[in-house]
Amino acid sequence: MSRYRKASMVGLIALPIVVGGFVVQERAALAGSRLFDQVLAIISDRYVDSVAVGTLYEKAARGLVAELKDPYAELYTPKQLEAFNTTTGGFYGGVGMSIESQQGVTTVVKVFSHTPAEEAGILIGDKIVGIDSAIARGWTNEQVSSKLKGPPGTKVKATFLRAGAADPFTVEFVRRVVRIPAVPYAILLDNSTAYIKVEGFNETASEEVAKNLLRLTAEGAKNLVLDLRQNPGGFLEQALTMTNLFIGKGKEIVTVRGRGEPPQTHVTEQAALAPTIPMVILTDGYSASASEIVAGALQDHDRALILGTTSFGKGLVQGMYRLDGGYAIKLTTSKWYTPSGRSIQKERKLTDDGQLVEVHPESLETDAARKGRPKFKSDGGRVVYGGGAVTPDVFVPYDTLTTPEQKLARALAVKGQEWLLTLDAFALELKGKVKRDFTITPELRQGFFERLQKRGVVVEPAIYEAGARYVERPLANRIAGFAFGDSTAKRMEYKEDVQLMKALELLKKGATQKELFTVASASPPASSPGRPNKPR
């Protein structure tokens, strides 16, 4: 028999095997469907406690999503979807408070400026115990939040308990559209540097950056620090638009690569607002997602110097798919890649207790780790590192704590939330009582210590005094923030920010972006890596 005839026979034999594969898959699907239906029926009919069929289906759907072991996959109920849209959208109808549960009681942890809550005198630490005619004790944050929100112009009553007050008090709010800014403040430093802090990528983030940059350049700014530290990301569209502020038309920003689909590349579409201003971007281990898209693109195109510590490494793309009944499922569908081809995603896994941990937790900034990572080239030929996340061009760790400061930090951590609420409450007491040039005196430090003791945060006096710097900096920042605003607080404390000070130092030596890279390459390397010492 010729080899050609043998080949033909092999081809004929292979076809039934492939067809049989589809038959096996179909049978497996039918068997699985029957198994699910039988289990559902038995639980519905025989389980000791009655469970609604709709609830059983939802639990089954959640179990399926959980079994994917995708840390970012999630099934949203209609209310959860509304909350998700509120968080990323930046606007909602409400009263202007951020809340969280503490010892089972909903507590105010932030009051936004120019909102009904601020105008009513609501303070951080106030506890919500009633809404309208209902008692809110034992409610979840979601339940309280959903009751406080509503169409702008409508009214809602909330009852609060305040530390030191004998009786609860009730406030009637008129709901308004509450705007959560992406840029809480932008200031001019050293008469020449625009410093813009970006806390998230909501639907107005790039517009806020553009407006503040125009204002600060009109005031004399010659260079820029864009602070993306602790920025968890947000809308992709805003990351693209923000990148386009600094890079001209037709440049690649990011590429999305998914399963079974051709790569999708996003490019800049307009002329840049500020194509030449010397620029430093600050990143840290909490800069993620949209922050990394902006930082990675501007690094690859030699448009910005990245300074700080390696970013979080969240380079997975989630698609949101609407389902019947107002539900939605968020599912990982693809990955982000920077213009040079680097994957942003740092490898992680879910532990049995639900924690998201790095597979290779060792620092990416050590010399040994860098040598083992893939190397890519920027437009100008500079080496940029792959292997996940965005690695800074200039590594500058946060300040490390001294041994006495670490001892005090551990002592306060026993009641972490209580000491932070005491910090805010004490700072609020001093609002209107301090001048702009105030300093933390021994009297102020002692006053804070006494309030900690009254709140049940017990610390030995010797440990408190030895590690006092750990509380002095956040205390000064909170007092200045409450008394004069966040921008004033930053002006007062920025010289304590080692990463920002390094950026200012380099910008003074580099009049152009090219000079800035040259100066940075000659800068001595920093020491061991660090993470933010909370609170900051």
Side-chain angles (χ1 to χ4, degrees):
M1 184 182 296
S2 72
R3 62 189 179 96
Y4 297 106
R5 189 176 175 190
K6 287 181 181 178
S8 298
M9 291 180 67
V10 169
L12 290 170
I13 293 171
L15 182 60
I17 295 174
V18 174
V19 174
F22 287 117
V23 172
V24 169
Q25 290 182 27
E26 186 175 334
R27 287 176 178 168
L30 288 172
S33 177
R34 283 196 299 270
L35 173 64
F36 176 79
D37 289 341
Q38 289 170 355
V39 171
L40 183 69
I42 292 173
I43 291 176
S44 180
D45 294 340
R46 302 294 183 184
Y47 183 59
V48 64
D49 295 322
S50 177
V51 184
V53 174
T55 302
L56 287 175
Y57 274 111
E58 181 180 323
K59 289 180 179 293
R62 291 191 182 281
L64 175 59
V65 172
E67 282 301 309
L68 295 175
K69 304 300 182 183
D70 177 353
Y72 304 106
E74 191 168 355
L75 180 67
Y76 290 90
T77 65
K79 287 186 177 180
Q80 290 171 331
L81 182 61
E82 179 185 359
F84 174 83
N85 290 333
T86 296
T87 302
T88 55
F91 297 88
Y92 64 92
V95 300
M97 301 182 298
S98 181
I99 58 176
E100 67 178 37
S101 180
Q102 295 174 8
Q103 282 104 36
V105 182
T106 301
T107 305
V108 178
V109 294
K110 186 174 181 63
V111 178
F112 296 102
S113 300
H114 312 297
T115 63
E118 183 189 54
E119 292 161 7
I122 303 304
L123 303 178
I124 292 171
D126 286 348
K127 298 184 183 299
I128 302 173
V129 294
I131 297 180
D132 290 331
S133 59
I135 297 174
R137 289 186 181 275
W139 285 14
T140 65
N141 285 339
E142 290 74 18
Q143 287 174 308
V144 174
S145 180
S146 66
K147 289 291 186 181
L148 290 173
K149 293 174 185 174
T154 58
K155 296 180 180 180
V156 61
K157 289 182 180 179
T159 302
F160 298 86
L161 281 176
R162 178 171 293 170
D167 300 313
F169 63 95
T170 300
V171 176
E172 183 176 72
F173 299 102
V174 178
R175 297 182 179 100
R176 294 208 302 257
V177 172
V178 175
R179 183 176 181 277
I180 304 171
V183 178
Y185 53 90
I187 56 179
L188 187 66
L189 297 177
D190 294 349
N191 298 316
S192 63
T193 300
Y195 171 81
I196 301 178
K197 173 65 176 175
V198 186
E199 291 191 338
F201 283 79
N202 65 17
E203 61 187 10
T204 62
S206 58
E207 178 185 350
E208 291 179 46
V209 169
K211 285 183 177 179
N212 281 287
L213 181 58
L214 288 173
R215 174 178 62 82
L216 292 171
T217 51
E219 293 176 8
K222 300 293 188 295
N223 43 53
L224 168 66
V225 174
L226 191 69
D227 191 347
L228 299 182
R229 292 175 296 182
Q230 301 188 50
N231 184 321
F235 287 126
L236 168 63
E237 179 186 354
Q238 289 298 312
L240 304 178
T241 307
M242 194 176 296
T243 304
N244 202 166
L245 295 176
F246 307 104
I247 298 178
K249 187 175 181 180
K251 292 287 189 178
E252 181 178 341
I253 302 173
V254 69
T255 296
V256 185
R257 300 176 188 171
R259 185 178 113 188
E261 295 181 357
Q264 180 184 4
T265 299
H266 297 273
V267 300
T268 51
E269 298 178 348
Q270 300 176 358
L273 174 69
T276 59
I277 187 171
M279 181 178 180
V280 174
I281 292 178
L282 302 181
T283 63
D284 67 5
Y286 304 98
S287 305
S289 192
S291 296
E292 295 173 294
I293 290 173
V294 173
L298 296 180
Q299 184 181 45
D300 282 359
H301 289 305
D302 298 302
R303 183 59 195 87
L305 180 78
I306 312 300
L307 185 148
T309 59
T310 295
S311 64
F312 180 81
K314 202 279 188 181
L316 298 177
V317 184
Q318 282 76 48
M320 186 72 82
Y321 300 92
R322 299 277 181 168
L323 307 173
D324 291 342
Y327 287 81
I329 183 172
K330 184 175 68 173
L331 198 66
T332 299
T333 56
S334 46
K335 292 183 179 181
W336 301 118
Y337 291 83
T338 72
S340 67
R342 296 180 290 162
S343 170
I344 294 174
Q345 177 64 18
K346 188 187 292 184
E347 191 177 0
R348 287 180 171 83
K349 64 180 179 181
L350 271 177
T351 61
D352 292 338
D353 59 356
Q355 297 296 312
L356 189 61
V357 298
E358 295 177 18
V359 174
H360 304 290
E362 70 274 6
S363 170
L364 296 180
E365 284 99 1
T366 64
D367 289 337
R370 286 196 185 206
K371 288 177 182 178
R373 298 174 63 195
K375 295 179 177 62
F376 295 78
K377 291 294 182 72
S378 70
D379 290 355
R382 298 184 306 122
V383 173
V384 290
Y385 291 95
V390 175
T391 302
D393 301 300
V394 178
F395 168 60
V396 180
Y398 281 99
D399 274 342
T400 54
L401 297 179
T402 64
T403 299
E405 289 167 358
Q406 290 177 18
K407 197 169 184 178
L408 177 57
R410 286 194 295 269
L412 292 173
V414 175
K415 290 194 174 182
Q417 194 60 49
E418 286 299 312
W419 97 260
L420 291 176
L421 288 173
T422 307
L423 180 70
D424 286 331
F426 185 54
L428 276 168
E429 280 185 46
L430 297 171
K431 183 179 180 180
K433 299 179 182 179
V434 294
K435 297 180 179 180
R436 287 182 180 269
D437 60 349
F438 79 91
T439 58
I440 301 300
T441 62
E443 291 76 21
L444 279 178
R445 193 167 63 238
Q446 179 61 25
F448 180 54
F449 176 75
E450 292 170 359
R451 281 158 181 79
L452 284 172
Q453 302 293 96
K454 288 180 181 178
R455 196 157 188 141
V457 184
V458 180
V459 180
E460 293 181 20
I463 292 176
Y464 180 79
E465 283 300 319
R469 184 174 174 270
Y470 180 74
V471 298
E472 285 181 351
R473 285 177 59 182
L475 183 56
N477 184 271
R478 294 291 203 281
I479 294 171
F482 285 127
F484 311 113
D486 289 339
S487 60
T488 297
K490 189 62 184 180
R491 285 190 180 94
M492 291 179 64
E493 66 91 33
Y494 81 91
K495 291 185 178 179
E496 300 288 333
D497 186 336
V498 293
Q499 294 171 332
L500 177 54
M501 290 302 293
K502 183 64 176 181
L504 295 175
E505 174 195 327
L506 295 174
L507 285 165
K508 287 179 181 178
K509 299 176 181 178
T512 66
Q513 193 69 46
K514 186 175 181 180
E515 288 181 11
L516 185 58
F517 287 130
T518 301
V519 170
S521 64
S523 179
S527 57
S528 61
R531 285 270 177 127
N533 295 321
K534 296 294 185 82
R536 292 191 63 85

